[in-house]
Amino acid sequence: MKLTRFLFYLTAAILAILSVASFLRSFMGSDLQIYKLYSVLMAGDAACMFICGLFLARKSKLFFGFAVTVLSLNIILTVFDQFGLADLLFVLLNLGTLASLIIHRKEFLPE
C-alpha cells in the first residue's frame, strides 16, 4: 500500500516539475505559447495523481476506479504522441503504479 501511494506521489511530483518547466519555457519565444497549455494539462494530471495517492486509503470503489482511470489514460494517451525515452519512462512508471494498484487492490477496496 505504501509503495503504491509513493508511486502516485512520485508521479505527481515529476509532473509538477515538468509543468513548471513547460510554463517557464513558454516565455522563451512567441512560437512556444503551446507550452502554457502543456503546463496546465500537466498540472491537472499532477493534481489527479496527488488526489489518488491521498484518498486511496479511504477504501472506496470510487477512488480506486478514478485511480485506475487516470493511470490508464496516462498510459494510452502517451502512445498517441511523439514517443521518446521520456515517454517510455513515463509509461513504465504509470504501468508500475497500475500493476501495484491492481496487485494490492484488496487493501484499497472495501470488503
Side-chain angles (χ1 to χ4, degrees), residues 84-104:
L85 180 61
D87 297 310
L88 176 64
L89 295 175
F90 186 68
V91 167
L92 291 176
L93 178 61
N94 282 287
L95 275 172
T97 307
L98 183 60
S100 178
L101 184 65
I102 291 172
I103 290 169
H104 300 104

Side-chain angles (χ1 to χ4, degrees), residues 61-79:
K61 286 183 181 181
L62 178 68
F63 287 118
F64 184 83
F66 179 69
V68 169
T69 301
V70 169
L71 289 169
S72 299
L73 284 173
N74 279 347
I75 293 165
I76 292 168
L77 294 177
T78 303
V79 176

Side-chain angles (χ1 to χ4, degrees), residues 1-108:
M1 183 170 182
K2 289 181 182 180
L3 172 66
T4 307
R5 292 180 74 195
F6 171 76
L7 290 172
F8 274 110
Y9 293 140
L10 175 67
T11 306
I14 291 169
L15 285 167
I17 291 168
L18 290 174
S19 174
V20 171
S22 292
F23 184 73
L24 293 174
R25 185 173 181 187
S26 70
F27 293 104
M28 297 177 104
S30 61
D31 59 333
L32 298 175
Q33 295 302 309
I34 190 71
Y35 285 101
K36 287 182 184 174
L37 176 63
Y38 293 159
S39 175
V40 169
L41 293 173
M42 280 189 266
D45 194 13
C48 289
M49 296 297 277
F50 183 77
I51 289 168
C52 288
L54 195 62
F55 290 111
L56 273 177
R58 293 189 180 214
K59 294 190 176 191
S60 166
K61 286 183 181 181
L62 178 68
F63 287 118
F64 184 83
F66 179 69
V68 169
T69 301
V70 169
L71 289 169
S72 299
L73 284 173
N74 279 347
I75 293 165
I76 292 168
L77 294 177
T78 303
V79 176
F80 292 108
D81 191 16
Q82 296 175 345
F83 199 81
L85 180 61
D87 297 310
L88 176 64
L89 295 175
F90 186 68
V91 167
L92 291 176
L93 178 61
N94 282 287
L95 275 172
T97 307
L98 183 60
S100 178
L101 184 65
I102 291 172
I103 290 169
H104 300 104
R105 69 182 169 270
K106 290 184 181 182
E107 295 176 29
F108 297 114

